[in-house]
C-alpha cells in the first residue's frame, strides 16, 4: 500500500464529502465509492435513507484498482457530484439491480451446497475476507463453483456482480431479512445476489459460523511483548523500516515472534496483512502519533478474532525489557596506520617467518608493474624501501583460495584463479628469511606438472583431519558456468577425486567461497548460500542436512556466501573438548540489502537450531578474526549491496568485538572506527604480536579508491599498558595428546590466572578465513615452566601450524 492514499478530484466531478453508507437511486449525478469495489458502485440523484455527512476519516479504505486513492470505508462512501449537463437519462437498474422479483436459489445447486440466509455486510467491517473480481455475468452457481474450486465452504453474493468466498464470516456478521437481498444477479435476473451491504450466503457444510467483532489481542502474546496502542503513521515516511506481507497468516503471534527473533523490540500490524518491525526510537524519530483505538479496526489476515491495525494505523506492541545489549566498554582499542602498501591485496597470510604474504591480481591488476605477490616484513614498517619484498606468480590468482599446509615448511598453498590456465592453478610458497632479513624463496607454479582437475574461480580450501586438502566449488572461469564439484589434493594416481554436488548446482550462483569447517566428530560442515549440511570426510556423502541459515527479518532468501558474502568462524574449543562445537556466521546480504545479524549453530547437537543475534549495523563483506583471548573481531565491509566490483556502497567503518563467553544477545561490543573504507577485496588477519592487520579494498566504485594503505587494530587486551609475556617454546613439533614444556616470563599477574590458546594459521580473503580454529588446551605450571597438553586427535584439531599465546 502506498504511504498516503488521496481523495482524487476528477474532471467535471467535484469531491463533495464523506457520507454514511446509504442506498442511492439509480444512475445520475451522485456517485459513491465504497471499499474494494469499482469507483462508481453506488450512483443516484439524491441521498436517501438517512445518509449524512461524516468525517473524512471514516473513508479510509484504498481502492482495489488504485491504491493511491480512497474508496470509502465500512458503511461509508466517498461522494462525488457531477456538475456537467450531458448525463444520459436515468435507467431503472444497473446490472442485476432491484426492481424485479428475485429469490435465493434453493434447488439445482452443486452437490452439498445450500442457501443459508441474507447477511449484513459492513455492520462492523467486511464479513468475507476473500473477494473475487466483479462478474457482469454472475450467477449463484458460478460463484459457488469459483469458491468451491479454491477449497472454500462459503460463498456470498452482493450487489449483483460481486462474489465472496470464505470458511466463516467475520467482523460480527449478523443476519438480515431475506427481503433485504433484493438485487438480481447480473447473469440471472431471477436469482437474488444480495444487495447494498447485503450478502446472499450459501454453504457446503449446512452451517455458517459467524465470528465476533475482532478485538485487540492482549493475552497469550509471545515472549515479553505487551500491547501499547493504536499508532498513526505519518504518511509518506513509515514509522518502522521493515515490512513483512503476510497475506493469509498475519497474527500477533506470528508478527511479534518474527520481530523479536531478529532483535526488534517494537512491532505493529497494519491493514490486516502487514507486519512491521523496528526500534522504539523509530516511533518518535519517524513521526508516529497516538490514534484513537477505533481507528485500528481491521482483522488480522490469519486471525479474524483479533485486530491488526487499519489504514495507516499500526496495532503497536512493545517488548518489555531488553532484547539485546550492545556493550560500550571504556577500553575499545584503536585503529593505527601501519605502512604504505604497493597494491590492493586480495589475499593475506601470515607465514612462519613472521612476515605477511600478500597476493594480488596479476594480469588483471590496475597496476601495470604489479608482479602479483609481495611480502611485508613487519620489523621494517618504518623503512618503506626495505619493508616490502617483490615476489612473483606465473598465473592470475584473482579470487583464488589458500591454506597453510601442515608440513614442516608451513608452505602456503594457493589454488584456482581468474581464467583459462589460472583457474587450474596450484601455487606453493615456503616462507623463509627472518625479521629484518629477506628470504630467497618465491612462489612456485608449473601448470604442466601440477594443476587442479577442473578450473575454479572463487573456491574454498580446507585441510582435513587426514592432512589432505579439500577444494570445493567455484566457477570454471571468469563469469563462466559453475563448477559444483569438490576435489581432494593430492590427486590419487590414475584416478579422479572429483565428486559432483547437486546441492551446489542447485544453489548456483549464490554459493561461491562456501564455508568449510572440520568438526570434532570428523564430519565436515559446509555452508553455502542460505543452506548448510554435514559431509562424511571419506565419501563426502551428506550425513545431515541442517536447518536453513536464517536471513533477514523480512526475507528467508538472504544469503551468507559470495556474492551475498558474510563471514564464518568456529567458536573456541576448550579441553577436555566435550562441549558441542559452535559455528558463527555474521553478515551477508538479501540481494543488495545487507544483513544486520550474526547466527550460530551447534551442528552436532541432537536438534541443531540457529540462534540469531542482532548486530549494531548492517554489514556485507565483513572480515572476522579470531583473537588469542577467545574473542573475535568483526571489521570491514559495507552497509549496502553485495560483493563484486561496484556493487556495494556506504562503507561500514566500525569495528566490533564478539565474545562467546558472554550470554547470547550480549556478546557484541562496539569498538573504534576507521576513516578508511574497506570494501570488496579487503582482508583482516591476526599478527604474531596479537595485533590485527587490516588491508585491501578494491571496489572499483566511484568515490572509493583502490586502497593501498595498511592498518592494524590494537585490540583491548593490548591497550592496557601491560608488557607482553616472553615465551620460549623449545619443541614446536607437537604430537596429539603429548605434553610439551613452555617457558613463560610474566610481567604482571601469576601463571595461576593465565590462559593458553592455540590459534590456527589462516589465509584471509573475501571474508573467508580458511583454516581458522581456536583451541584452549589443558596446561599446568610450576614457577615459570608450564606443561601444555596438545589436543587429543586430528578431528578436534586438524594438523597444522598454530600461534601459541598466553
Amino acid at each position: 500500500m502506498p504511504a498516503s492514499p488521496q481523495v482524487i478530484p476528477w474532471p467535471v466531478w467535484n469531491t463533495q464529502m464523506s457520507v454514511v453508507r446509504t442506498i442511492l437511486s439509480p444512475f445520475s449525478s451522485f456517485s459513491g465509492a465504497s471499499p474494494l469495489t469499482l469507483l462508481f458502485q453506488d450512483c443516484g440523484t439524491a441521498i436517501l435513507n438517512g445518509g449524512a455527512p461524516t468525517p473524512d476519516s471514516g473513508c479510509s479504505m484504498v481502492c482495489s484498482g488504485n491504491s493511491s486513492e480512497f474508496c470509502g470505508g465500512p458503511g461509508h462512501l466517498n461522494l462525488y457530484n457531477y456538475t456537467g449537463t450531458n448525463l444520459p437519462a436515468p435507467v431503472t437498474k444497473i446490472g442485476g439491480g432491484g426492481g424485479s422479483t428475485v429469490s435465493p436459489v434453493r434447488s439445482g445447486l452443486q452437490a452439498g451446497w445450500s442457501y443459508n440466509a441474507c447477511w449484513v455486510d459492513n455492520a462492523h467491517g467486511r464479513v468475507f475476507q476473500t473477494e473475487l473480481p466483479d462478474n457482469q455475468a454472475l450467477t449463484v452457481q458460478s460463484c459457488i463453483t469459483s469458491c468451491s474450486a479454491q477449497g472454500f465452504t462459503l460463498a456470498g453474493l452482493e450487489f449483483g456482480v460481486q462474489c465472496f468466498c470464505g470458511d466463516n464470516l467475520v467482523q460480527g456478521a449478523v443476519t438480515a431479512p431475506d427481503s433485504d437481498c433484493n438485487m438480481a444477479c447480473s447473469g440471472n435476473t431471477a436469482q437474488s445476489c444480495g444487495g447494498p451491504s447485503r450478502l446472499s450466503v450459501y454453504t457446503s457444510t449446512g452451517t455458517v459460523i459467524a465470528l465476533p467483532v475482532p478485538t485487540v489481542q492482549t493475552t497469550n502474546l509471545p515472549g515479553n511483548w505487551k500491547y501499547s496502542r493504536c499508532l498513526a503513521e505519518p504518511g509518506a515516511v513509515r514509522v518502522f523500516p521493515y515490512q513483512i506481507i503476510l497475506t493469509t497468516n498475519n497474527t500477533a503471534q506470528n508478527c511479534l515472534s518474527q520481530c523479536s527473533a531478529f532483535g526488534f523490540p517494537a512491532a505493529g500490524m497494519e491493514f490486516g496483512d502487514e507486519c512491521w518491525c523496528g526500534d522504539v526510537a523509530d516511533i518518535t524519530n519517524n513521526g508516529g502519533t497516538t490514534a484513537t483505538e477505533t481507528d485500528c479496526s481491521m482483522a488480522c489476515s490469519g486471525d479474524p478474532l483479533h485486530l491488526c491495525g487499519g489504514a495507516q494505523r499500526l496495532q503497536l506492541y512493545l517488548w518489555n525489557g531488553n532484547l539485546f545489549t550492545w556493550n560500550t566498554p571504556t577500553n575499545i582499542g584503536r585503529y593505527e596506520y601501519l605502512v604504505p602498501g604497493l597494491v590492493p591485496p586480495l589475499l593475506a597470510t601470515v607465514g612462519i617467518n613472521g612476515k605477511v604474504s600478500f597476493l594480488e591480481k596479476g594480469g588483471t591488476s590496475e597496476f601495470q608493474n604489479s608482479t602479483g605477490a609481495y611480502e611485508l616484513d613487519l620489523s621494517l614498517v618504518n623503512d618503506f624501501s626495505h619493508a616490502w619484498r617483490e615476489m612473483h606468480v606465473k598465473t592470475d590468482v584473482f579470487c583464488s583460495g589458500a591454506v597453510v599446509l601442515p608440513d614442516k615448511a608451513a608452505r602456503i598453498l594457493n589454488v584456482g584463479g581468474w581464467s583459462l590456465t589460472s583457474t587450474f592453478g596450484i601455487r606453493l610458497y615456503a616462507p623463509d628469511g627472518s625479521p629484518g632479513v629477506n628470504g630467497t624463496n618465491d612462489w612456485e607454479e608449473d601448470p604442466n606438472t601440477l594443476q587442479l582437475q577442473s578450473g575454479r574461480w572463487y573456491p574454498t580450501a580446507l585441510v582435513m583431519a587426514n592432512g589432505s586438502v579439500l577444494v570445493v566449488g567455484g566457477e570454471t572461469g571468469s563469469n563462466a558456468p559453475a563448477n559444483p564439484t569438490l576435489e581432494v589434493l593430492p590427486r590419487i594416481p590414475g584416478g579422479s577425486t572429483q565428486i559432483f554436488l547437486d546441492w551446489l548446482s542447485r544453489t548456483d550462483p549464490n554459493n561461491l567461497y562456501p564455508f568449510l569447517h572440520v568438526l570434532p566428530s570428523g564430519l565436515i560442515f559446509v555452508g553455502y548460500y542460505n543452506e548448510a549440511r554435514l559431509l562424511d570426510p571419506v565419501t563426502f556423502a551428506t550425513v545431515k542436512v541442517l536447518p536453513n541459515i536464517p536471513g533477514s527479518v523480512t526475507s528467508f532468501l538472504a544469503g551468507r556466501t559470495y556474492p551475498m558474502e558474510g563471514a564464518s568462524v568456529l567458536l573456541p574449543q576448550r579441553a577436555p573438548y566435550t562441549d558441542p562445537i559452535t559455528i558463527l556466521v555474521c553478515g551477508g546480504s538479501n540481494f543488495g540489502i545487507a544483513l544486520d545479524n550474526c547466527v550460530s549453530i551447534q551442528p552436532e547437537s541432537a536438534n541443531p537450531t540457529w540462534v540469531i543475534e542482532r548486530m549494531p549495523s548492517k554489514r556485507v563483506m565483513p572480515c572476522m578474526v579470531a583473537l588469542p583471548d577467545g574473542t573475535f573481531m568483526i571489521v570491514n565491509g559495507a552497509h549496502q549491496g553485495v560483493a563484486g566490483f561496484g556493487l556495494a556502497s556506504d562503507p561500514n567503518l566500525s569495528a566490533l568485538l564478539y565474545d562467546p563467553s558472554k550470554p547470547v544477545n550480549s556478546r557484541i561490543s562496539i569498538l573504534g572506527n576507521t576513516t578508511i573504507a574497506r570494501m570488496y577485496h579487503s582482508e583482516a588477519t591476526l599478527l604474531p604480536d596479537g595485533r590485527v592487520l587490516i588491508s585491501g579494498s578494491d571496489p572499483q566504485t566511484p568515490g572509493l579508491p583502490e586502497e593501498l594503505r595498511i592498518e592494524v587494530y590494537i585490540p583491548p587486551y593490548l591497550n592496557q599498558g601491560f608488557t607482553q609475556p616472553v615465551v620460549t617454546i623449545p619443541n614446536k613439533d607437537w604430537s596429539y595428546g603429548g605434553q610439551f614444556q613452555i617457558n613463560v616470563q610474566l610481567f604482571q599477574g601469576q601463571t595461576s590466572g593465565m590462559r593458553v590458546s592455540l590459534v590456527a594459521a589462516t589465509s584471509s580473503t573475501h571474508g573467508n578465513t580458511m583454516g581458522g580454529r581456536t583451541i584452549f588446551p589443558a596446561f599446568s605450571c610450576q614457577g615459570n615452566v608450564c606443561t601444555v597438553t596438545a589436543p587429543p586427535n586430528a578431528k578436534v584439531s586438524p594438523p597444522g601450524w598454530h600461534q601459541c599465546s598466553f
Side-chain angles (χ1 to χ4, degrees):
M1 186 209 73
S4 51
Q6 303 292 322
V7 173
I8 303 299
W10 291 73
V12 185
W13 293 80
N14 291 334
T15 303
Q16 293 292 300
M17 64 190 75
S18 299
V19 180
V20 174
R21 185 66 178 270
T22 184
I23 301 175
L24 302 178
S25 58
F27 261 131
S28 191
S29 57
F30 287 105
S31 174
S34 66
L36 304 180
T37 65
L38 297 176
L39 174 64
F40 304 130
Q41 178 175 302
D42 292 326
C43 306
T45 57
I47 300 173
L48 308 175
N49 300 322
T54 189
D56 284 348
S57 60
C59 292
S60 59
M61 300 187 72
V62 297
C63 303
S64 60
N66 186 343
S67 59
S68 68
E69 301 172 8
F70 283 121
C71 278
H76 291 70
L77 292 161
N78 284 113
L79 184 66
Y80 296 82
N81 179 29
Y82 187 75
T83 58
T85 58
N86 59 341
L87 283 176
V91 296
T92 58
K93 58 175 145 180
I94 173 173
S100 60
T101 301
V102 295
S103 60
V105 178
R106 300 182 186 275
S107 62
L109 298 174
Q110 290 89 328
W113 286 84
S114 61
Y115 174 70
N116 174 259
C118 180
W119 289 80
V120 176
D121 193 16
N122 268 327
H124 306 286
R126 305 309 295 262
V127 300
F128 274 98
Q129 292 181 292
T130 300
E131 179 183 7
L132 304 184
D134 286 5
N135 181 0
Q136 298 302 321
L138 184 69
T139 66
V140 171
Q141 289 85 349
S142 68
C143 181
I144 289 175
T145 296
S146 297
C147 292
S148 179
Q150 297 184 45
F152 292 110
T153 59
L154 296 181
L157 302 95
E158 186 172 1
F159 280 112
V161 295
Q162 295 178 333
C163 176
F164 297 83
C165 306
D167 292 315
N168 48 52
L169 303 181
V170 299
Q171 293 282 4
V174 294
T175 58
D178 280 353
S179 58
D180 281 10
C181 289
N182 58 9
M183 292 188 73
C185 297
S186 56
N188 187 333
T189 57
Q191 296 179 352
S192 170
C193 276
S197 297
R198 296 295 185 271
L199 284 154
S200 299
V201 176
Y202 292 78
T203 172
S204 66
T205 64
T207 59
V208 173
I209 297 175
L211 301 176
V213 176
T215 59
V216 175
Q217 183 171 350
T218 59
T219 60
N220 298 319
L221 298 173
N224 292 335
W225 286 101
K226 302 293 182 184
Y227 178 65
S228 176
R229 59 194 184 276
C230 182
L231 190 73
E233 294 263 38
V237 177
R238 309 312 294 262
V239 168
F240 297 128
Y242 299 107
Q243 180 192 39
I244 310 162
I245 301 295
L246 301 171
T247 306
T248 60
N249 63 334
N250 196 27
T251 66
Q253 183 82 24
N254 289 345
C255 178
L256 302 181
S257 294
Q258 180 74 355
C259 292
S260 58
F262 284 86
F264 294 99
M269 293 86 76
E270 183 173 356
F271 260 102
D273 64 357
E274 298 179 11
C275 171
W276 292 84
C277 305
D279 292 303
V280 176
D282 294 331
I283 299 171
T284 301
N285 294 342
N286 296 326
T289 57
T290 300
T292 59
E293 287 297 304
T294 55
D295 281 4
C296 289
S297 59
M298 299 184 76
C300 302
S301 64
D303 179 7
L305 297 180
H306 293 111
L307 292 169
C308 279
Q312 293 189 323
R313 296 295 185 270
L314 287 162
Q315 213 83 49
L316 178 66
Y317 292 80
L318 302 177
W319 184 271
N320 184 24
N322 293 323
L323 268 173
F324 58 85
T325 299
W326 294 325
N327 304 299
T328 54
T330 302
N331 180 10
I332 61 174
R334 64 188 185 277
Y335 278 93
E336 283 187 354
Y337 178 69
L338 182 66
V339 65
L342 301 177
V343 293
L346 306 185
L347 197 148
T349 310
V350 176
I352 60 167
N353 58 1
K355 303 178 183 183
V356 185
S357 171
F358 292 102
L359 292 176
E360 195 255 346
K361 293 178 296 184
T364 55
S365 174
E366 292 83 0
F367 300 87
Q368 297 302 313
N369 61 346
S370 173
T371 61
Y374 299 88
E375 188 174 64
L376 174 64
D377 189 330
L378 296 168
S379 70
L380 299 175
V381 293
N382 294 323
D383 183 0
F384 176 76
S385 62
H386 294 95
W388 292 95
R389 178 165 78 101
E390 179 182 298
M391 301 178 71
H392 310 82
V393 289
K394 294 180 179 178
T395 59
D396 200 334
V397 300
F398 180 16
C399 296
S400 54
V403 291
V404 177
L405 294 177
D407 56 18
K408 290 192 174 183
R411 289 179 299 171
I412 302 171
L413 169 70
N414 179 270
V415 294
W418 178 59
S419 67
L420 303 175
T421 303
S422 66
T423 64
F424 293 84
I426 296 179
R427 309 166 190 90
L428 291 163
Y429 167 56
D432 65 338
S434 59
V437 179
N438 275 345
T440 57
N441 291 343
D442 207 336
W443 283 92
E444 299 177 82
E445 179 181 8
D446 184 357
N448 296 320
T449 302
L450 187 63
Q451 64 177 10
L452 297 173
Q453 295 166 62
S454 59
R456 298 182 186 276
W457 192 43
Y458 292 99
T460 300
L462 173 75
V463 176
M464 297 190 294
N466 66 359
S468 299
V469 176
L470 176 66
V471 183
V472 179
E475 294 180 342
T476 55
S478 176
N479 299 316
N483 186 350
T485 69
L486 62 77
E487 63 181 274
V488 177
L489 303 176
R491 180 177 179 175
I492 300 172
S496 171
T497 64
Q498 286 199 105
I499 297 177
F500 175 77
L501 305 170
D502 64 309
W503 38 270
L504 270 190
S505 178
R506 174 174 48 80
T507 53
D508 172 65
N510 299 316
N511 56 29
L512 303 180
Y513 279 131
F515 303 137
L516 299 177
H517 302 288
V518 176
L519 304 181
S521 65
L523 298 178
I524 295 172
F525 170 92
V526 54
Y528 54 98
Y529 178 38
N530 65 353
E531 300 180 12
R533 63 183 61 217
L534 305 184
L535 305 181
D536 183 281
V538 177
T539 65
F540 300 105
T542 297
V543 175
K544 180 190 291 186
V545 176
L546 297 170
N548 276 16
I549 306 173
S552 69
V553 68
T554 60
S555 176
F556 59 87
L557 296 175
R560 303 286 181 167
T561 53
Y562 185 96
M564 308 303 175
E565 200 173 303
S568 174
V569 295
L570 282 173
L571 294 190
Q573 302 172 84
R574 301 174 187 274
Y577 313 107
T578 54
D579 292 335
I581 197 166
T582 302
I583 291 171
L584 176 70
V585 180
C586 292
S589 182
N590 180 25
F591 296 90
I593 302 173
L595 303 187
D596 64 352
N597 59 65
C598 295
V599 295
S600 58
I601 193 170
Q602 295 178 342
E604 296 186 301
S605 62
N607 295 296
T609 303
W610 291 97
V611 176
I612 305 169
E613 297 177 271
R614 187 177 168 196
M615 293 193 295
S617 60
K618 297 178 181 180
R619 197 182 297 256
V620 63
M621 302 180 294
C623 296
M624 279 204 290
V625 185
L627 301 182
D629 63 352
T631 63
F632 296 83
M633 278 196 66
I634 305 171
V635 295
N636 301 357
H639 290 104
Q640 185 76 9
V642 296
F645 290 131
L647 300 180
S649 60
D650 191 8
N652 194 323
L653 304 176
S654 70
L656 304 176
L657 188 72
Y658 185 92
D659 186 350
S661 68
K662 294 184 177 181
V664 170
N665 287 317
S666 61
R667 293 176 169 177
I668 295 176
S669 295
I670 300 173
L671 301 185
N673 290 341
T674 182
T675 59
I676 299 176
R678 303 287 182 182
M679 305 278 281
Y680 185 48
H681 289 165
S682 62
E683 307 82 36
T685 191
L686 179 66
L687 295 178
D689 62 6
R691 296 177 298 171
V692 175
L693 183 139
I694 298 174
S695 58
S697 191
D698 182 28
Q700 297 188 14
T701 299
L704 297 173
E706 307 300 293
E707 187 55 64
L708 307 184
R709 292 170 290 181
I710 308 294
E711 293 176 285
V712 289
Y713 198 93
I714 312 299
Y717 56 72
L718 292 180
N719 196 42
Q720 303 176 83
F722 294 162
T723 301
Q724 293 193 54
V726 175
V727 179
T728 304
I729 306 177
N731 183 0
K732 297 182 180 180
D733 191 1
W734 292 10
S735 58
Y736 289 109
Q739 293 187 324
F740 303 91
Q741 288 189 342
I742 297 176
N743 299 313
V744 181
Q745 182 182 1
L746 299 179
F747 297 96
Q748 52 272 317
Q750 303 295 322
T751 56
S752 58
M754 187 176 69
R755 290 183 295 168
V756 177
S757 66
L758 302 172
V759 179
T762 63
S763 193
S764 172
T765 186
H766 291 77
N768 206 322
T769 50
M770 299 181 193
R773 202 174 205 90
T774 303
I775 301 287
F776 283 87
F779 73 97
S780 60
C781 297
Q782 290 186 347
N784 290 335
V785 178
C786 297
T787 301
V788 179
T789 302
N793 57 61
K795 297 175 182 178
V796 169
S797 181
W801 286 83
H802 294 73
Q803 178 174 317
C804 185
S805 300
F806 292 80

